[in-house]
């Protein structure tokens, strides 16, 4: 990654002919071989005029608004789905409830409404 971009990079590897530095020299040559295979794509930097910059900023702001709206819609949909699942799980648990317990809950709800 650090070798990419619009720069010209030169890599200089130094090696020693002494037997004492043999492992380090081999490691350096292996690295140099791998580094030589790295290729970058150079692209020309463009300078935008004031109009182009204004248009770009306007488009980016519009994109931000659209993305925020999509995110908000997703959150709302997820909350709706969660509520539906919770409602269904309550219905499911009430089906498994003892009939006497169901009757008691209905009475409690009626009393709560009256208060």
């Amino acid at each position: 990654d650090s070798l990419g971009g619009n720069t010209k990079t030169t890599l200089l590897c130094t090696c020693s002919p002494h037997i004492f530095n043999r492992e380090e020299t081999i490691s350096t040559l292996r690295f140099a071989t791998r580094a030589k295979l790295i290729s970058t794509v150079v692209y020309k930097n463009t300078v935008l005029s004031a109009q182009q910059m204004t248009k770009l900023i306007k488009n980016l702001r519009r994109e931000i608004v659209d993305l925020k709206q999509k995110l908000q819609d997703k959150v709302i949909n997820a909350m709706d789905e969660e509520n539906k699942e919770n409602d269904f799980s309550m219905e499911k648990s009430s089906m498994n409830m003892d009939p006497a317990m169901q009757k008691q809950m209905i009475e409690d709800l009626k009393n709560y409404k009256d208060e």
Side-chain angles (χ1 to χ4, degrees):
D1 234 11
S2 61
L3 296 177
N6 288 343
T7 60
K8 189 171 187 174
T9 305
T10 302
L11 180 65
L12 179 67
C13 295
T14 58
C15 301
S16 171
H18 195 277
I19 192 73
F20 181 74
N21 296 329
R22 190 181 96 187
E23 291 299 321
E24 190 172 338
T25 299
I26 291 171
S27 175
T28 300
L29 291 173
R30 285 184 182 150
F31 171 75
T33 303
R34 285 193 317 268
K36 199 164 88 171
L37 298 175
I38 296 172
S39 63
T40 59
V41 177
V42 179
Y43 57 92
K44 182 180 177 186
N45 290 334
T46 56
V47 177
L48 299 177
S49 67
Q51 283 182 325
Q52 291 172 326
M53 189 66 75
T54 305
K55 185 177 179 181
L56 178 65
I57 291 170
K58 186 186 281 187
N59 289 340
L60 291 173
R61 285 185 177 156
R62 189 176 315 126
E63 184 178 356
I64 289 171
V65 169
D66 291 344
L67 291 172
K68 282 182 179 180
Q69 184 63 43
K70 285 180 183 179
L71 181 63
Q72 186 177 9
D73 291 345
K74 249 189 173 171
V75 169
I76 290 172
N77 289 339
M79 288 174 59
D80 288 344
E81 289 297 319
E82 186 178 307
N83 289 339
K84 287 178 186 177
E85 288 176 12
N86 288 343
D87 292 345
F88 180 70
S89 66
M90 287 183 69
E91 290 173 9
K92 197 173 176 183
S93 66
S94 67
M95 283 193 257
N96 296 333
M97 201 178 294
D98 181 38
M101 185 91 146
Q102 284 180 347
K103 205 177 231 185
Q104 180 63 39
M105 284 181 68
I106 292 171
E107 289 299 319
D108 290 343
L109 286 171
K110 285 180 183 176
N111 292 336
Y112 178 75
K113 285 181 182 177
D114 292 338
E115 292 175 1

